Each structure stands twice: as C-alpha cells, then as structure tokens.
C-alpha cells in the first residue's frame, strides 16, 4: 500500500475524528449512568430531597420546577424528551396525555406495586390515575396530594360558613372586592364551573357554557386582586386586603399556617354539582419516567428512593409549600411529622375534605372555556 | 553603473505595472464577522423564524409541518386582544412621559450641576439593579400593602386609616417608572452632556429667557439621548409583565401576559407566536422609524466624515 500526501491527510483526518468521537460517544452513554434530570413541581428540586440521593448514587442530579402542568408537558413536546428522565405532574396528564403521546414509559409493576400497600386510602389499591385505562401498565407513583378549592381568613369568614356556602361565596354581590383569584388558569376554570352549578369534568351544553361565562365575567369583575403568586395572595389575605381567595387549598395555605397564621385555612365545600354531590377537587401528583431514548437508569432508583420515610417527610415539607403525602398511611412515615406540621397541612380535616372531593381531571371543554376565561379576564 | 542605471530605468516600469489582484471569494471583513453572523443566525434568527413559522400553524399544534393558515391572526383581530395591546401601549406611553419628566432634572443635575456627587448618584441608581426586579417590586408591595410600612406606619403614629393603592393601575405605573428609571436617565445624561455650556451662555447673552433656552437650545441638542431613553423604556414597558402582576394584581392584562398564557395554560403555541409576531412587528417598526430619525453618529460624538467634527 502506497501512501501519498492526500491519502495520509485523509486517514489522519479519519483517525482524528474517531479519536475525538470515540471517547465522547462512550462518555455520553457512561454519563447517563451517573446523571438524572428531573422535571417537577417545586419541592422535589430541593437539596433536602436531592442531596441524600446524590450522595447515595454519586450521580449528577439536577431538577427544574415548572410553573404549570401544561408548561412542563410542552417542554417534552418541544424536544426535551431527550433531556429529562423523571416528570412529576398532577394526576390526569400521565394517563390522558403523556401516555398516548408516548412521552412516558411504564414502570415495572413487580418493583413498584408493593409500595402502594402502605399508602393512605384511596391510593393503596389500584389508584386509577397511576395506570393506563386498561390497567395493563403502571404509569407512575403517587406521593403529594391535597384538596384544592378556596382559602379563607377565618377571622373574616368562619370555616363552617365557608364550607356550607362553598363557591357561592364568590357569587354574592356583597362580596365583590373582597376576594382574590390565584390565576392557576385551569383550576380557576374548574372552580368557575362549580360556581355556575356545573360539573367541570363532563361535556357541557351551550347553556352550560353560557352559565360558566356569566360566572367567569362576574368573578373577574368582583376580584380585587389577580396574581399567580401564592405568597403575594397569602400576604393580601393576612393583611386584610382580601377576605378569601380561589384557587387554593392546603398547598397554598400551609406556608402561612406554618408561620403561625392558623386563621388562613383551605376550605373544601361540603356539597356541590360534581359526581356524588361533591363540591371540591383534589390534586394528586403522579411521578413518571420520561420516554427518553437514552434515559438514565437512576430514574427508577429515584422513584424508589422517595418512598423512604425520611424522604417522604422531606418531600412533604420541602421549601415552598407543604403538603400531605400518600405514604402517611405508613406509621413509620407519619411519626416523622410534628404536631405543628400536621396543623399546617390541616391533618385534622384532611380525611373529611378528601371525602368531599373528586379527582382533578381534564375538562373536555377546556379549550372553549379557556378562551372565555381569558376574554373575561381581559375585559373585566 | 550599468546595473544602477538599469534599476533607475526599471523603477517607473514597476510603479506603473498593474499587479493583477487576486479575486477573493470572501472578503476579510465578512470572514472576521462570520462567527458573529453564525451565532446570531443560530441564537437570534432561528428562534424568531420558528416563532414566525408557528404563527402560521393551525391552533394547538406543536409542530411546524402543518399547512400554513392565517387563523391565529384572524382570531387575534376578531377577539378582544386589542384591549391588551392598547392598554399595554397606554401604560408604556404614560411610563415614558413620566420618566422623561422625572429624568430631565436629575439628568441635568448629573451632567451640569452635581459635579463629583453625580458619581454617587449614578452608583445609588445602579446598585439596586443588582437585585432581582421581582424582589424590588415585592419590596414595594410590603411598603404599600394594608398594614404595611406606609399604611401601618401612618396608623401606628398618626392614627390615620389609609386605603392601599395596590392592585390598581397607578401601582403598575409606579412599578414601571421605578424599574425603568435608569434606562431613561442615563441616555438622557448623555444627551444633556452634549449641550455645550457656551451655547446656552450665548443664548442667555442674546436675551433668551430660561424657558426659551430650554425649549430652543437644550432640548433639541439633548434630543438624541432623550429619544434613545424614551425608545428603550417604551419597548421595555410594552413587553413588561412583572409590574402588572406583582403591584397591579393584574388590573391590566398586559400583552406579554397574554403571550405567556397562550404558551402555557392555553397550550396554544401558534396563537402565542402570532401575538409575539405582532408585538415584534409593532416594536420593530417603531425602533426602525426612530433610529432612522436619530443620528447615532452624533450621539456617539462621531462626525459623519470621521474627523471628529
């Protein structure tokens, strides 16, 4: 074989390219063994939750919190499916959107199903939002949850009155200017449906939509304050700028309660227009493994790690907001919570509140209602 | 000698001989600018083109492969989005006018009167910029809220019960003026410092009143700085979001808020993209028109001939 200058250059370039690409390609695969990226609601991204896992696995674990469920799903849709390994969203999205769009992959049942046995009811047996509709595939694990309806300052409106009146409180003309709207758009829409006497999770007639629109416009007109910042909303409630606000619950009232403001209380209406005459909604986070083509094997280890009692407590009381966790059905987890912490998450009424709520689902008329919602907000 | 004379005679030949220029495929200037051009194409133009592309996709699609449509633009014009556009525009204009009025005396003082104290003032205005805008605005909430620093203080010291100005339009304007003051002030300082003292003195010597000097001498000469500051704060205010959300309780739904909502809760990227394009188109037209009007060379102290005149 004869080498001339051109062929020497050619082979050198090829060798150089291999030399460069080879180690990097190897590193790319090796890096995923020691790397985990989590897209989640705030709390799972705290050092209290992540640091022990980092030490345990010696892995580079990074987590980013989202601002809304749709926002986080959009990241996966926009191509970040190659970035994230774990995604943590409220209950309907895994089964109804991410699974059909192949954004998540199923969990091995034999490894994860045993953890359900120690959870609180109704999460301890075949909790429907963790599975595909046919029950064949396990789509995620549940942990944080909470009733999410409205919040009152009990010095201004008693708990009993608020529970009896429910969302009608916002319909009363005399309450105009006394409340705020925490603009979690999708939740506001559900609560406006309830205020209009509608079940948000069924198909609606034109008359229903008109009734919803009337409530949406009236509530925006009567609202003193709109914000998507729960701290700003609690501050306004504590300082007397407003007497109550929707959308809210344990998730938003617990930081104020832990700070000693026990007059700030999440309310679940005793009755309402939803299935079984219920008037409130509960969110439950489902944490799933992203269908990342080069997914980190640590994703499954992380889902197991957060079942550990210490970690369950850290997740429940991570920075930001404080929430009950389904694992509190396990006495070893429950004993980690102090009486102040239990009071902050309204443990005294949690069971009763849960019995008055239905699961958060996707509204079949969300698109049309969202348009009306934005118009009403803009034109108020 | 002969060789020397040969050289002597050869010199004119060399001087007049045309050396054929090598045709360059790429000019050195272009070559030097290539990294920046590539960076701008990837980091600036490509995302903008993607947004432009999405604005012509059917609503609620997450890919660019559908048949293009104008439905998003039609939806914007057939709905009440004009309210958000006009309210944002109104707030931006109000902010700019207030900022110009507030900034003029400060800029004048900094450029002409305060001497070395101007540096202290500059620092005092710049240092808060190191703190996040949201935190500064939240500080204002704590100051203005019922029972907060102002109303709580009034009640405790004088027994006066005041109404909070939070969650109303004036609170948004306050936030905008507060946040964007440096962006109007510093270009204006530059503008005022371009007014030569001799010119104002000459105007006074010729019997001009203070008002005449201001209107006919200082204002026109400082105009480039005023326009740059005004333009900058107008664009920033038009696309602002935090002031309305934190201080205003969304008493006004800004256009940036509509865009954010479309991309997140609305899950309607094409609508959000169309709204963004309209905002970019509007702001872009304004910037280009004004930049056409302003002589940037004059602001930077360069004469057109490059000789410093």
């Amino acid at each position: 074989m004869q080498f001339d200058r051109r062929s020497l250059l050619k082979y050198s370039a090829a060798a150089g390219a291999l030399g460069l690409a080879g180690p990097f390609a190897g590193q790319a695969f090796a890096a995923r063994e020691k790397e985990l990226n989590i897209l989640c609601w705030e709390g799972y991204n705290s050092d209290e939750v992540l640091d022990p896992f980092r030490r345990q696995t010696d892995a580079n674990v990074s987590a980013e919190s989202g601002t809304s469920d749709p926002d986080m799903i959009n990241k996966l849709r926009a191509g970040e499916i190659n970035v994230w390994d774990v995604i943590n969203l409220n209950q309907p999205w895994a089964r109804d959107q991410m699974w059909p769009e192949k954004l998540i992959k199923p969990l091995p049942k034999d490894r994860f199903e045993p953890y359900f046995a120690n959870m609180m009811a109704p999460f301890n047996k075949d909790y429907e939002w963790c599975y595909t509709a046919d029950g064949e595939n396990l789509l995620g694990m549940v942990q944080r949850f909470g009733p999410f309806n409205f919040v009152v300052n009990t010095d201004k409106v008693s708990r009993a009155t608020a529970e009896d009146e429910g969302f009608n409180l916002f319909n009363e003309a005399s309450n105009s200017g006394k409340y705020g709207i925490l603009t979690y758009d999708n939740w506001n829409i559900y609560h406006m449906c309830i205020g209009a006497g509608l079940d948000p999770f069924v198909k609606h007639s034109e008359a229903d939509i008109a009734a919803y629109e009337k409530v949406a416009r009236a509530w925006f007109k009567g609202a003193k304050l709109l914000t998507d910042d729960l701290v700003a909303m609690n501050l306004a409630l504590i300082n007397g700028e407003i007497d109550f606000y929707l959308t809210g619950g344990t998730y938003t009232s617990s930081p104020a309660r832990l700070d000693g403001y026990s007059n700030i209380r999440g309310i679940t209406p005793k009755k309402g227009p939803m299935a079984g005459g219920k008037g409130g909604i509960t969110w439950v986070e489902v944490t799933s493994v992203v269908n990342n083509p080069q997914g980190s094997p640590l994703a499954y280890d992380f889902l197991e790690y957060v079942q550990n009692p210490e970690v369950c407590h850290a997740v429940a009381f991570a920075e930001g907001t404080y929430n009950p966790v389904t694992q509190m059905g396990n006495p070893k987890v429950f004993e980690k919570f102090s009486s102040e912490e239990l009071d902050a998450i309204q443990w005294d009424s949690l069971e009763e509140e849960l019995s008055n709520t239905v699961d958060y689902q996707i509204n079949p008329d969300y698109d049309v209602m969202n348009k009306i919602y934005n118009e009403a907000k803009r034109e108020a | 000698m002969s060789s020397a004379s040969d050289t002597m005679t050869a010199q004119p030949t060399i001087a007049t001989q045309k050396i054929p220029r090598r045709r360059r495929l790429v000019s050195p200037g272009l070559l030097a600018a290539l990294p920046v051009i590539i960076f701008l194409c990837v980091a600036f133009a490509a995302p903008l083109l993607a947004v432009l592309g999405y604005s012509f996709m059917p609503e609620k699609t997450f890919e660019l492969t559908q048949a293009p449509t104008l439905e998003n633009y039609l939806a914007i014009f057939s709905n009440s989005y004009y309210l958000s556009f006009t309210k944002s525009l109104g707030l931006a204009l109000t902010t700019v006018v207030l900022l110009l009025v507030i900034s003029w005396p400060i800029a004048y003082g900094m450029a002409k009167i305060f001497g070395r104290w101007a540096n202290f003032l500059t620092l005092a205005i710049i240092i808060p910029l190191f703190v996040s805008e949201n935190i500064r605005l939240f500080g204002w909430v704590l100051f203005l809220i019922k029972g907060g620093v102002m109303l709580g203080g009034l009640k405790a010291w004088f027994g006066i019960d005041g109404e909070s100005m939070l969650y109303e339009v004036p609170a948004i304007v306050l936030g905008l003026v507060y946040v964007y003051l440096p962006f109007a002030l510093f270009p204006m300082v530059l503008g005022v410092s371009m007014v030569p003292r001799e010119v104002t003195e000459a105007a006074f010597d010729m019997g001009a009143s203070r008002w005449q000097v201001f209107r006919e001498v200082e204002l026109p000469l400082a105009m480039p700085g005023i326009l740059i500051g005004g333009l900058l704060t107008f664009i920033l205010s038009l696309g602002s979001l935090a002031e309305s959300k934190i201080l205003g309780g969304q008493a006004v739904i800004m256009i940036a808020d509509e865009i954010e909502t479309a991309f997140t809760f609305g899950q309607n990227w094409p609508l959000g993209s169309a709204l963004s394009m309209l905002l970019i188109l509007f702001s872009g037209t304004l910037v280009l028109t004004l930049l056409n009007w302003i002589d940037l060379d004059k602001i930077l102290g360069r004469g057109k001939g490059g000789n410093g005149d």
Side-chain angles (χ1 to χ4, degrees):
Chain A
M1 190 174 182
Q2 272 192 332
F3 278 102
D4 57 15
R5 202 165 60 122
R6 182 171 293 183
S7 63
L8 181 70
L9 276 174
K10 196 168 76 181
Y11 287 113
S12 306
L18 268 176
L20 277 175
F24 279 116
Q27 269 179 12
F29 284 110
R32 301 301 296 154
E33 302 278 331
K34 287 286 177 193
E35 179 188 314
L36 181 69
N37 295 328
I38 303 166
L39 189 57
C40 56
W41 279 102
E42 77 279 9
Y44 281 104
N45 57 343
S46 69
D47 288 342
E48 297 153 272
V49 174
L50 296 181
D51 276 353
F53 187 71
R54 287 181 179 126
R55 284 194 294 271
Q56 195 177 306
T57 57
D58 193 27
N60 181 16
V61 182
S62 56
E64 185 180 300
S65 79
T67 49
S68 73
D69 290 323
D71 191 33
M72 287 191 264
I73 298 177
N74 280 348
K75 282 180 190 283
L76 300 189
R77 286 177 177 141
E80 291 188 19
I81 196 168
N82 299 312
V83 173
W84 304 104
D85 300 299
V86 172
I87 186 163
N88 159 253
L89 298 177
N90 287 310
Q91 68 264 55
W93 306 97
R95 192 184 79 178
D96 289 355
Q97 289 210 354
M98 291 197 292
W99 174 253
E101 292 181 38
K102 297 188 173 58
L103 299 174
I104 53 172
K105 53 189 169 191
L107 304 179
K109 279 185 171 179
D110 52 344
R111 186 171 171 185
F112 287 98
E113 275 189 331
Y115 287 106
F116 284 95
N118 282 331
M119 290 185 188
M120 294 167 60
F123 311 105
N124 52 353
K125 197 169 185 329
D126 302 334
Y127 182 60
E128 61 172 328
W129 297 104
C130 290
Y131 292 87
T132 48
D134 58 9
E136 281 299 306
N137 295 292
L138 178 61
L139 299 178
M141 299 298 289
V142 287
Q143 191 152 42
R144 296 187 294 193
F145 70 98
F148 207 56
N149 302 291
F150 65 94
V151 176
V152 301
N153 179 341
T154 51
D155 293 344
K156 302 286 179 69
V157 183
S158 75
R159 177 185 162 192
T161 305
E163 286 180 345
D164 289 341
E165 286 232 23
F167 284 98
N168 272 331
L169 213 53
F170 297 85
N171 285 331
E172 287 171 15
S174 58
N175 283 333
S176 179
K178 291 184 182 172
Y179 63 87
I181 298 180
L182 189 62
T183 49
Y184 296 172
D185 303 22
N186 47 350
W187 281 97
N188 295 161
I189 289 170
Y190 298 167
H191 293 142
M192 286 165 176
C193 281
I194 300 172
L198 306 169
D199 182 341
F201 308 122
V202 297
K203 191 77 192 149
H204 301 95
S205 67
E206 276 186 28
D208 291 344
I209 302 277
Y212 157 79
E213 180 167 357
K214 197 175 163 195
V215 168
R217 288 187 183 279
W219 285 13
F220 276 122
K221 222 172 212 19
K224 177 161 189 188
L225 149 74
L226 312 182
T227 177
D228 56 5
D229 179 352
L230 69 93
V231 178
M233 191 61 95
N234 280 340
L235 193 68
L237 194 59
I238 290 165
N239 284 48
E241 290 274 0
I242 52 171
D243 295 345
F244 44 95
Y245 69 82
L246 72 101
T247 282
T250 324
Y251 172 80
T252 61
S253 62
S254 55
R257 291 178 66 82
L258 195 68
D259 277 348
Y261 297 100
S262 53
N263 54 337
I264 305 303
R265 188 170 187 97
I267 298 289
T268 299
K270 283 198 166 154
K271 54 187 185 303
M274 290 179 293
K278 293 180 180 179
I281 306 172
T282 289
W283 59 269
V284 185
E285 285 173 2
V286 175
T287 309
S288 306
V289 173
V290 175
N291 192 16
N292 184 334
Q294 286 191 332
S296 165
L298 292 175
Y300 299 101
D301 298 342
F302 181 76
L303 285 186
E304 262 194 321
Y305 158 80
V306 294
Q307 307 298 324
N308 181 311
E310 280 81 20
V311 185
C312 287
H313 177 260
V315 167
F317 273 79
E319 63 200 31
T321 67
Y322 315 123
N323 305 283
V325 288
T326 58
Q327 288 80 359
M328 286 173 85
N330 179 352
K332 285 182 183 165
V333 175
F334 187 79
E335 69 189 19
K336 303 280 175 199
F337 291 80
S338 69
S339 57
E340 289 80 16
E341 289 173 338
L342 290 173
D343 183 58
I345 57 174
Q346 298 181 203
W347 183 256
D348 59 330
S349 62
L350 189 61
E351 196 178 338
E352 184 192 339
E353 288 189 65
L354 275 186
S355 68
N356 287 329
T357 60
V358 298
D359 270 309
Y360 166 57
Q361 297 164 52
I362 294 172
N363 176 348
D365 295 308
Y366 182 75
D367 291 350
V368 62
M369 287 187 171
N370 186 243
K371 270 184 191 158
I372 293 170
Y373 171 91
N374 284 317
E375 270 175 27
K377 188 162 78 163
R378 192 183 304 129
E379 293 166 18
Chain B
M1 267 310 277
S2 67
S3 63
S5 67
D6 282 354
T7 313
M8 293 284 280
T9 50
Q11 267 177 348
T13 319
I14 293 168
T16 51
Q17 190 183 353
K18 279 193 174 176
I19 301 169
R21 274 191 164 179
R22 273 190 198 161
R23 291 189 65 191
R24 290 197 177 91
L25 287 175
V26 185
S27 77
L30 184 64
L31 205 63
L34 208 56
V36 178
I37 291 173
I38 293 170
F39 175 77
L40 284 177
C41 284
V42 173
F44 183 73
L48 269 185
L49 283 175
V51 173
L52 178 69
Y54 267 113
S55 74
F56 292 106
M57 290 294 107
E59 68 167 358
K60 303 242 166 194
T61 46
F62 297 97
E63 56 209 26
L64 281 163
T65 51
Q66 309 285 317
T69 168
L70 285 172
E71 67 181 53
N72 302 305
Y73 291 96
L74 292 174
I76 291 169
F77 288 111
S78 61
N79 281 300
S80 53
Y81 286 102
Y82 68 90
L83 285 174
S84 296
F85 269 107
T86 49
K87 285 179 182 175
S88 302
L89 194 65
L91 273 175
L93 282 172
T94 312
T95 305
V96 170
V97 170
L98 284 173
L99 276 172
L100 295 183
V101 172
I102 294 168
S103 299
W104 177 265
I106 308 173
Y108 195 88
M110 286 172 78
K112 306 278 183 196
I113 301 167
F114 298 157
R116 60 197 172 91
W117 286 104
N119 291 337
F120 174 75
L121 199 58
T122 305
L123 273 180
I125 292 167
I126 285 177
I127 284 171
L129 293 178
F130 289 103
V131 180
S132 142
E133 181 184 329
N134 283 9
I135 291 175
R136 284 184 286 143
L137 290 174
F138 214 74
W140 272 107
V141 172
L142 295 176
F143 183 78
L144 296 171
I145 200 167
K146 203 182 258 186
V149 177
M150 186 172 78
L151 295 176
L154 278 177
K155 175 133 183 146
W157 293 333
F158 307 107
I160 301 169
D161 264 322
E163 273 304 305
S164 137
M165 68 174 283
L166 278 180
Y167 318 131
E168 305 284 351
V169 174
I172 305 176
V173 176
L174 170 76
L176 288 168
V177 168
Y178 165 70
V179 167
Y180 297 126
L181 178 74
F183 300 91
L185 180 65
F186 292 119
M188 199 183 272
V189 172
L190 196 65
V192 175
S193 61
M194 284 165 56
V195 182
R197 197 175 288 274
E198 302 80 31
V199 179
T200 50
E201 280 168 3
F204 279 123
D205 287 349
M206 294 174 80
S209 67
R210 185 72 196 84
W211 170 247
Q212 277 176 312
V213 170
F214 167 71
R215 199 167 56 92
E216 291 174 30
V217 178
E218 289 169 339
L219 211 54
L221 288 175
M223 195 49 82
I226 296 171
L227 283 177
I228 290 279
L231 187 68
L232 203 61
T233 48
F234 179 77
I235 301 292
L236 288 169
S237 307
L238 193 63
S240 70
L241 186 61
E243 293 77 11
S244 160
K245 276 191 167 179
I246 297 173
L247 288 176
Q250 290 185 289
V252 170
I253 307 297
M254 303 294 280
I255 191 63
D257 198 13
E258 299 278 11
I259 294 170
E260 188 189 50
T261 301
F263 273 103
T264 55
F265 285 106
Q267 292 203 69
N268 198 347
W269 291 7
L271 178 67
S273 301
L275 284 167
S276 307
M277 287 319 300
L278 288 177
L279 187 61
I280 291 169
L281 193 70
F282 182 77
S283 323
T285 310
L286 193 85
V287 172
L288 291 178
T289 311
L290 273 177
L291 282 183
N292 236 0
W293 189 22
I294 305 168
D295 188 347
L296 266 182
D297 284 331
K298 201 172 172 187
I299 291 175
L300 297 171
R302 296 190 306 229
K304 286 216 162 140
N307 55 2
D309 59 359

